[in-house]
Amino acid sequence: MRPGPCLGLGASLQKLGTQVDSKEHLQLATARLPKGLDTTGFINSLYQWASTLTSSGQNMPFALPIKADKLDNGFQMSLLRIKEGRPMSVGDIVANVEQVDEKGDVLFVRFFEGPASGIDRQGPAPSNSRERLQKNAEALIDVPIIMQTMKVAIQKAVAQNKGV
């Protein structure tokens, strides 16, 4: 998997090139949301998708347990491993709706390292943070499945919440 700047959802997605979060991350996708979209409903629809993803049967089994948390303007999916006797994130996919000047509402999907990232790493971590993030994302085989199914979830959430 090679995370890139865009999911490829057609005209509604834009390669915005806007880095709005200063914490080191990989930008997995950006989607410019249509004007008039009920963003609260959109966020709730996406969170519902994320929280039921592992129980829908469509994508099971995932290699790692996944925990979904609701955020004020999106959600976070944590891929979990056991470290020090408790579940800890090895990587987080965070989706947030943010206001971007002259672009309107934009959905940003980012990958962040979790506290247990590299738990199974053979050898030293790359010293370059971008390369390390890329390697960590590539090592989590569930990330491509999540991103593929997220594309459809975004499209459905937009359709359900347009012009409300």
Side-chain angles (χ1 to χ4, degrees):
M1 180 204 137
R2 307 275 309 159
C6 189
L7 278 171
L9 294 177
S12 65
L13 283 182
Q14 305 294 320
K15 290 185 180 183
L16 298 172
T18 305
Q19 293 295 328
V20 294
D21 192 316
S22 60
K23 186 176 175 187
E24 292 182 42
H25 64 273
L26 286 180
Q27 188 76 26
L28 298 177
T30 55
R32 186 182 331 184
L33 302 177
K35 291 188 185 328
L37 184 73
D38 172 13
T39 54
T40 301
F42 174 78
I43 290 166
N44 288 338
S45 295
L46 282 184
Y47 172 69
Q48 183 175 359
W49 163 81
S51 65
T52 60
L53 186 62
T54 59
S55 60
S56 70
Q58 179 180 1
N59 303 302
M60 291 187 10
F62 282 102
L64 295 174
I66 298 172
K67 176 184 174 223
D69 293 304
K70 183 115 170 49
L71 305 174
D72 289 339
N73 59 344
F75 67 89
Q76 174 175 315
M77 296 177 75
S78 299
L79 293 98
L80 306 172
R81 296 293 301 250
I82 301 297
K83 183 177 180 183
E84 300 169 2
R86 60 188 182 104
M88 295 182 78
S89 171
V90 291
D92 300 311
I93 296 172
V94 178
N96 288 313
V97 174
E98 300 171 19
Q99 181 70 32
V100 176
D101 293 340
E102 300 178 22
K103 304 270 190 233
D105 288 332
V106 177
L107 175 69
F108 289 92
V109 182
R110 301 176 177 107
F111 175 82
F112 295 89
E113 291 179 302
S117 68
I119 194 170
D120 297 325
R121 183 178 291 121
Q122 306 278 321
S127 58
N128 177 295
S129 62
R130 184 105 179 121
E131 185 180 337
R132 187 182 68 250
L133 280 163
Q134 185 74 40
K135 295 277 186 198
N136 285 343
E138 289 173 354
L140 298 172
I141 62 173
D142 294 329
V143 171
I145 296 167
I146 292 168
M147 293 307 296
Q148 288 169 2
T149 60
M150 188 184 296
K151 176 181 177 179
V152 174
I154 292 169
Q155 291 169 334
K156 286 181 180 179
V158 166
Q160 292 169 351
N161 295 284
K162 267 200 292 197
V164 176

